[in-house]
Amino acid sequence: MNSVILSNRLKTIASYVPNGKKIADIGSDHALLPNYLVINQIAPFAIAGDVNEGPLQAAKRQVQQYGLTNQISVRKGNGLEVIQENEVDVIIIAGMGGALIVEILEAGKEKLSTIERLILQPNIGEELVRKWLDQNHWQIVDETILEENGKIYEIIIAEPKRINGEDPYLGVERTKEELYRLGPVLWRKRPAILLKKWQQEAKKIDTIIKQLDQISNDKEREEKLEKFITKKNWISGVLKCLLKDKPLSK
Ligand code: SAM
């Protein structure tokens, strides 16, 4: 059987799947992750779900090519509707915007009661995902950040909140709203790429501020300027900490 070559991003996501757990990969596209996890005997069973016909057919072809149709079920459907209750232990949703990930989780809430772990990789809007997790009894147990082909990605691992579980939002001198943006675990770990991410965010804000000159309406320009200067000041504070402080102990 041929091995599946994964990008560093997908390989990192795969590394968070505990051995022996059944998985669902929602928005699976070519079903690369399910194929990799089953071929490498990490997952005994996988569901590859996708809402669009093109990716679904691509997934079916890949699964057939690897001869894994007994272990990987390719299903067409919106979000978690492709999963029956108790069918899988771990859900992966990767490569979409945070708002869409939240929409999928919210719409499929009743399917989550038996899920042991969520592995989420929003391309943007990470703060929306963290806020939803926090408000829906999910606890972030790990986070990582990586760079691939010039893009920076964050991966969020969450498990159902436990009574005595460690709260990643506690013991940090930042509000929850700030930590939704920064990532409570990333903020403690402070990997070098986190600094790079926020340096890039600062540059984006600078570009926006320069472009505000083009707004002819004085009131509108001033209001937007104030909003973006507030954001820039916040990011400057973040960068100062990241440059100065060592990782916080966990
Ligand atoms: N998960 C893969 C990855 O991280 O490389 C593929 C990401 S691809 C950019 C996003 C996939 O999500 C597409 O195949 C798209 O059809 C699918 N998708 C978008 N919205 C979806 C939804 N509501 N339910 C299921 N799949 C969806």
Side-chain angles (χ1 to χ4, degrees), residues 9-10 13 25-29 49-52 55 77-79 94-96 100 104 121 123:
R9 174 181 64 87
L10 288 178
I13 291 170
D25 182 28
I26 304 301
S28 196
D29 201 354
D50 208 290
V51 75
N52 290 310
N78 188 359
M96 306 176 195
L100 180 54
I104 288 173
Q121 183 266 297
N123 287 340

